[in-house]
Amino acid sequence: MRQFPQSHFVNDASQSESPALSGTVTMTGVGGVSTILPRPVAWQFLILAEIENFGVLRRHLGRPRADTMIVDVAARIGTVLSDARIVIAGRDMIEIAFESEARLALDVAIAALETALDQPFDIDGESHRIHVQFGAAAGATIGDRDEVHLIEEAERALADARSERVAVARDVNAGAASIDRAQLASDLTIAIDTEELFLQYQPKVHLRRQEITSVEALVRWKHATRGLVLPGDFIPIAEESRDIIALTLWTIRRSIRDQKTLVAHGHDLRIFINIAGVLLADARFVRTVCALVEASGARLGFEITETSVIRDPESAIANLKIFADIGIVIAIDDYGAGLSSLAYLKQLPARELKIDKLFVTQLTSSNRDPLIVRSTIDLAHALEMEVVAEGVETQAAMALLSVMGCDMIQGFLISRPINLDALIHFLADEKHLAIAADVRAPFNRLATVWKRG
Ligand code: C2E
Ligand code: MG
Ligand code: MG
């Protein structure tokens, strides 16, 4: 999902308690024709407006001016949709949220925005045109959880808008979403028993050693009628229904079995498994896992998030120590994405810290992220942990991470998550070695910048 780390508010006319979606749309100004009076709200809308030709304009205007152009664009949007909540979500991206009793309001708003933004902008005495792509989502008014659906639908719509080159609006049906969840929850219980789940593995490469030292197991669900369902869609459901216990035990058993196959092919790799926070305080789960690991002699690692420890720190830390004592390597996953507490970080028996991909995917295009990543690497090393960067997609990111002293990388650059057979082929081919060996060569310039900084 796209993240908007640098948001700030431009226009918050509604002052509502619900920050992301608020206000009753009143359309006036350029192209605005109708005014919809406050009445019981039935629809929530989110429009993502992206300046498509931002790169070209930046070349022409220079970076400082281009970076502030978004403020002018937001101001103009404010004149069209005066009661909407308008958020600058990046140098080329604006989020516009509003409500109305009529679904039609979204189409009217998009048309008005298109007309308004089609007029040139006066930038330092010169006239410039911007091309904006709109991706929008509409949902019948519902609770907090469905806000996420709205954002996701708007992001999908924007992706479609980019390729179709027209404004795209998608509907989120709130009623269907909750029925869907209930249905998925009951299907999942059966899926765990009927082998509809399967694992994919994603390798981690150790940069200095130039070798794959471990893989992460990621669960997938091949649903009988829906096709592939990704964990983001069913792990939260499993956590609510407590199916997470059976699911995780299945994952551990399957990883132990697959590890034996890997060893038989000459690959002695530790397998990391994601462990949901709710399980860290579950004594029976801990006992079962210890029995499984001790009986098999498997080399496992557990990826946990800090947030999961904060929930019930005493039992979580005690149980993590039990896992660590029987040889399970503890890694802190998604570091930086959620709540962080140095106090807990020091107490956890963790040997690895995984920097969230949020900071890694934009590493070479952002000013802020390299600073965060570099200080996280230093912090982890001071705590005697090795650092894994997840979400490494480019050679440039790998080069920069290497210069910063990052120990391991994981991401599409090396390999997407793949099934066991593909992993065995991948390891035999040793293609990753060529990628990782390239780590410094073409990026000496970047390296110099970072050594100086
Ligand atoms: P995670 O543990 O942080 O896993 C990393 C996610 O990032 C994976 O998504 C992976 O496919 C994706 N990814 C890997 N490399 C790249 C890259 O270079 N770029 C980008 N953009 N993404 C990359 P996936 O498989 O959809 O898993 C999402 C989350 O679901 C995982 O996040 C983990 O928290 C959870 N999960 C997966 N399997 C399990 C499981 O067996 N049990 C539990 N409790 N949670 C699981
Ligand atoms: Mg993980
Ligand atoms: Mg992660």
Side-chain angles (χ1 to χ4, degrees), residues 81-291:
L81 301 175
S82 57
D83 284 352
R85 184 176 173 86
I86 300 166
V87 177
I88 293 179
R91 286 174 304 191
D92 60 353
M93 172 78 76
I94 293 175
E95 286 181 29
I96 307 152
F98 59 94
E99 297 177 343
S100 171
E101 59 161 352
R103 168 64 180 77
L104 186 65
L106 178 61
D107 302 319
V108 178
I110 291 175
L113 289 172
E114 282 181 329
T115 312
L117 297 179
D118 199 34
Q119 305 302 312
F121 280 79
D122 181 351
I123 300 175
D124 299 336
E126 279 182 37
S127 178
H128 292 279
R129 274 188 193 280
I130 60 167
H131 305 302
V132 180
Q133 293 298 351
F134 297 97
T141 302
I142 17 94
D144 286 353
R145 183 170 292 150
D146 298 289
E147 242 173 47
V148 175
H149 288 291
L150 201 67
I151 294 165
E152 287 174 352
E153 275 319 299
E155 283 169 346
R156 279 190 203 113
L158 183 61
D160 291 346
R162 284 187 201 117
S163 58
E164 304 292 323
R165 308 189 61 76
V166 288
V168 175
R170 296 170 66 114
D171 283 299
V172 179
N173 187 328
S178 55
I179 294 164
D180 202 35
R181 248 179 114 75
Q183 184 62 49
L184 262 191
S186 87
D187 290 355
L188 181 60
T189 312
I190 303 160
I192 298 169
D193 292 333
T194 54
E195 295 279 310
E196 278 183 13
L197 300 182
F198 66 100
L199 292 183
Q200 285 189 324
Y201 295 98
Q202 191 179 32
K204 300 181 193 171
V205 172
H206 200 287
L207 285 174
R208 277 187 310 281
R209 284 193 239 147
Q210 299 271 303
E211 64 179 11
I212 292 177
T213 46
S214 57
V215 294
E216 175 178 4
L218 294 156
V219 69
R220 276 90 182 80
W221 177 7
K222 194 162 179 304
H223 190 283
T225 52
R226 291 160 192 260
L228 183 67
V229 189
L230 287 171
D233 290 326
F234 63 88
I235 295 289
I237 295 176
E239 287 184 35
E240 271 173 24
S241 69
R242 304 287 294 162
D243 271 339
I244 193 69
I245 301 175
L247 183 148
T248 309
L249 291 173
W250 178 87
T251 307
I252 293 173
R253 287 194 182 96
R254 180 52 53 93
S255 297
I256 292 174
R257 195 183 90 179
D258 289 352
Q259 190 170 53
K260 290 189 177 133
T261 311
L262 283 169
V263 169
H265 283 81
H267 307 296
D268 186 11
L269 299 178
R270 187 176 292 279
I271 299 183
F272 279 84
I273 293 154
N274 292 282
I275 304 291
V278 285
L279 300 175
L280 293 182
D282 188 317
R284 214 163 63 176
F285 173 78
V286 176
R287 277 199 304 276
T288 315
V289 169
C290 289

Side-chain angles (χ1 to χ4, degrees), residues 216 274 303 305 333-335 354-357 390 410:
E216 175 178 4
N274 292 282
E303 297 194 1
T305 63
D333 203 358
D334 302 340
Y335 185 77
K354 297 186 76 177
I355 302 177
D356 192 77
K357 58 178 177 292
E390 63 172 35
Q410 186 184 25

